[in-house]
Amino acid sequence: MFKRKEPAAAPANGGLKLNYRRTALIGFAFFGILLLWQVYDSWCPTFLTDIFAHRIYGMTSAELKLSDPEKILDVQWIVGVIMACDNLAALILLPIFGRLSDKTHTPIGKRMPYILVGTLVSAVAFPFIPLFFHNKNIVGMIIAMVTVLIFMMMYRNPAVALMPDITPKPLRAKANGIINIMGYFGGAFATVLGMVFVLSKYIDATEPAARNLWVIELPFLIASALMVISALVLFKTIKENELAEQLKDEIALGEELAAVASPIDDEKPMSKANRNMLLAILAAEFLWFMSDNALGTYIGNYVIYFLSSSSKYTSTMIIVGGLASVVGFAIAGFIADKVGRKWTISSGLVITFLGLILMCFVRPLGKFEQGVELGFPVLLYVVWALKGFGMALVHNCSFPMVVELCSAKKIGRFTGFYYASSMSAQTITPVLLGYILKAAGAWRALPVYATILTVLSFAVFTAFVKNIKSGKVANVKGLEALGADD
């Protein structure tokens, strides 16, 4: 995609060029990840709300919503604790698998063994979550959730590290945009499943006989099948060891052009300037994930129990946000080339903030009358579009900024740092917000909470992160920009 302006220092092909086809194929790993997590995050908090309403109050959440809707808020802290335990395990496991994969050497590569095993076990365990829920087996359901989580962590870090393994540093923002677009196709497919198999139809049924298992089972089965297919496509098309050898000169040139405060040297401790940059990025990342995960965890319950609307609106809203995210990911790399990654991320946080301010003014249009919902506030679609676009700018550039600060030998470890920050945020925020919702007794605390954290992340990021651009490279023009295989 690029040519360096000093061709004497460039590799034999005349410059750095992003291979779009190969990058998109690597994106199949992210397709599987977001497909699973979209189903998991959209359905599991509502499963937990329903099952604990039954255990604590002896009623389904549908019956409780009709008789005493405030009590729905009382069980959200339990939902938050369980969702946070999942993320706590991820906080521990992601750095472990990152380091292990850095040190692994096999005939199929260092990342691929973890991707294949993690995918297979997760795909087998995933459909047991709704099955155990349907049978009111909370222990079995949580065991299935934990199993999926552990093996997805085995998959996730190595899968994400695969892109920077074979992409020179100056090209990683654009490559990350393509990877994320592929991931959002997976998330969009999961959202369509949510529109076809409407969760609220199952949840709002007050009679056990009216709860059809296949409404909640089929989305999980389809997600599992597509995860396996995406991993097989990745395995068939991406030959890690061959690519590492073919691209070693380009990777070396990318190191020379890196956007870092001081050069990377594996033989010496990390420089103070680079360490401070890393800590500032991770601190800001922690705060924006606190905000974003709060919305992702509770939005399904917010729509069903606060807005008294159907979960099909949640699915539509997620599609709107996903489309906005795709636009953001498509252009984020080009914006970063012009203004730098720091100001691209800062702009994304401002756009997200504007969306969350609007969300503070969202109100229900009415309550259920005889089981029929009265509508959905269109303003929430605008909120989700702004948030989707803004956070796409943030996520697209933040991961490349972290792995920019390490050599090719430590990509798995630094990917672990990135996920340690995000997962620690996602461990704390469901519990903290669950308690806040219970104490406030109002779902309106959700957008206020997310807005405050977004402002804090912007303050930390803009104050402590430097805007360092990569070494200069020139855009490839015409047909060459299509990134055909060399």
Side-chain angles (χ1 to χ4, degrees):
M1 184 64 185
F2 296 96
K3 286 181 178 176
R4 198 180 181 204
K5 289 186 176 178
E6 300 174 9
N13 67 358
L16 296 179
K17 181 176 65 173
L18 181 62
N19 187 311
Y20 283 91
R21 176 180 176 275
R22 184 173 61 232
T23 305
L25 289 170
I26 296 171
F28 272 97
F30 220 48
F31 175 93
I33 290 170
L34 282 196
L35 172 62
L36 180 138
W37 286 121
Q38 185 65 59
V39 174
Y40 184 94
D41 284 341
S42 296
W43 298 58
C44 287
T46 304
F47 287 171
L48 292 168
T49 297
D50 190 78
I51 207 166
F52 280 110
H54 184 267
R55 282 184 169 263
I56 295 172
Y57 300 109
M59 293 183 282
T60 65
S61 59
E63 294 168 333
L64 192 60
K65 183 168 67 173
L66 293 173
S67 64
D68 192 350
E70 294 300 319
K71 287 183 177 178
I72 294 290
L73 285 164
D74 291 341
V75 303
Q76 295 308 305
W77 73 271
I78 307 176
V79 175
V81 167
I82 293 175
M83 297 299 287
C85 286
D86 289 353
N87 292 322
L88 178 60
L91 173 61
I92 298 168
L93 293 172
L94 279 169
I96 290 175
F97 287 122
R99 287 196 174 201
L100 285 174
S101 64
D102 277 343
K103 299 175 181 179
T104 298
H105 301 282
T106 75
I108 61 172
K110 59 184 179 180
R111 314 294 183 193
M112 203 63 70
Y114 297 91
I115 293 172
L116 296 178
V117 173
T119 299
L120 178 61
V121 178
S122 298
V124 171
F126 199 46
F128 283 94
I129 295 174
L131 181 63
F132 284 126
F133 164 69
H134 181 76
N135 290 295
K136 303 298 180 186
N137 185 341
I138 184 63
V139 174
M141 178 181 162
I142 291 176
I143 289 173
M145 289 170 66
V146 169
T147 302
V148 168
L149 178 82
I150 290 172
F151 284 91
M152 277 304 293
M153 294 310 105
M154 176 185 286
Y155 175 165
R156 186 166 189 165
N157 187 313
V160 173
L162 190 57
M163 181 276 285
D165 276 344
I166 55 178
T167 305
K169 286 183 176 180
L171 305 182
R172 287 176 183 171
K174 285 188 174 70
N176 202 40
I178 296 169
I179 296 293
N180 278 281
I181 288 171
M182 289 295 295
Y184 271 78
F185 286 151
F189 192 90
T191 304
V192 170
L193 291 178
M195 298 178 73
V196 175
F197 305 98
V198 181
L199 175 59
S200 57
K201 287 184 178 179
Y202 181 100
I203 294 297
D204 289 337
T206 55
E207 295 296 328
R211 292 191 161 194
N212 185 347
L213 170 62
W214 293 108
V215 169
I216 56 174
E217 186 65 61
L218 280 174
F220 284 74
L221 287 169
I222 294 169
S224 290
L226 289 175
M227 276 177 58
V228 172
I229 292 170
S230 67
L232 291 176
V233 169
L234 181 70
F235 174 68
K236 185 70 175 177
T237 58
I238 301 298
K239 306 300 180 184
E240 272 191 77
N241 293 338
E242 293 178 17
L243 287 171
E245 182 62 27
Q246 291 172 13
L247 298 170
K248 62 182 181 181
D249 289 339
E250 292 185 38
I251 297 298
L253 176 58
E255 293 291 337
E256 296 177 22
L257 300 172
V260 293
S262 59
I264 307 296
D265 187 344
D266 281 335
E267 303 304 319
K268 298 178 181 179
M270 192 176 192
S271 71
K272 182 178 179 181
N274 286 346
R275 183 173 63 251
N276 290 343
M277 176 80 84
L278 175 65
L279 292 175
I281 295 167
L282 294 179
E285 178 200 349
F286 174 84
L287 291 166
W288 70 57
F289 267 101
M290 285 274 287
S291 171
D292 203 36
N293 184 251
L295 294 165
T297 299
Y298 286 103
I299 191 62
N301 287 352
Y302 175 91
V303 169
I304 293 173
Y305 302 117
F306 173 58
L307 298 180
S308 295
S309 294
S310 168
S311 63
K312 69 182 180 182
Y313 292 114
T314 307
S315 299
T316 305
M317 184 175 64
I318 290 172
I319 287 177
V320 170
L323 290 173
S325 296
V326 168
V327 175
F329 284 124
I331 67 174
F334 297 96
I335 296 174
D337 281 348
K338 298 296 183 183
V339 302
R341 291 170 183 169
K342 173 181 177 176
W343 297 116
T344 304
I345 290 174
S346 300
S347 299
L349 290 172
V350 170
I351 293 168
T352 302
F353 166 77
L354 294 175
L356 294 175
I357 287 293
L358 291 177
M359 188 175 177
C360 293
F361 295 96
V362 170
R363 297 291 182 267
L365 296 183
K367 295 182 178 179
F368 270 75
E369 291 183 359
Q370 297 180 345
V372 179
E373 46 86 16
L374 299 180
F376 184 82
V378 175
L379 182 60
L380 206 51
Y381 292 133
V382 178
V383 170
W384 231 247
L386 289 171
K387 185 188 83 71
F389 181 81
M391 291 310 296
L393 300 185
V394 173
H395 294 318
N396 189 80
C397 294
S398 56
F399 175 63
M401 287 187 82
V402 171
V403 293
E404 195 92 351
L405 296 166
C406 71
S407 72
K409 296 178 181 179
K410 296 180 179 179
I411 287 174
R413 180 185 299 185
F414 275 65
T415 301
F417 292 158
Y418 178 84
Y419 278 114
S421 177
S422 65
M423 286 300 173
S424 59
Q426 293 175 74
T427 300
I428 294 169
T429 206
V431 180
L432 178 59
L433 182 55
Y435 277 110
I436 290 172
L437 288 171
K438 181 178 180 181
W443 283 102
R444 294 172 186 175
L446 173 59
V448 174
Y449 174 92
T451 302
I452 292 171
L453 287 165
T454 300
V455 171
L456 290 174
S457 68
F458 176 84
V460 170
F461 192 79
T462 54
F464 298 107
V465 175
K466 294 181 179 179
N467 193 42
I468 304 173
K469 292 188 179 182
S470 298
K472 292 184 178 180
V473 290
N475 284 328
V476 173
K477 304 296 184 181
L479 294 176
E480 194 177 3
L482 296 175
D485 290 323
D486 296 324

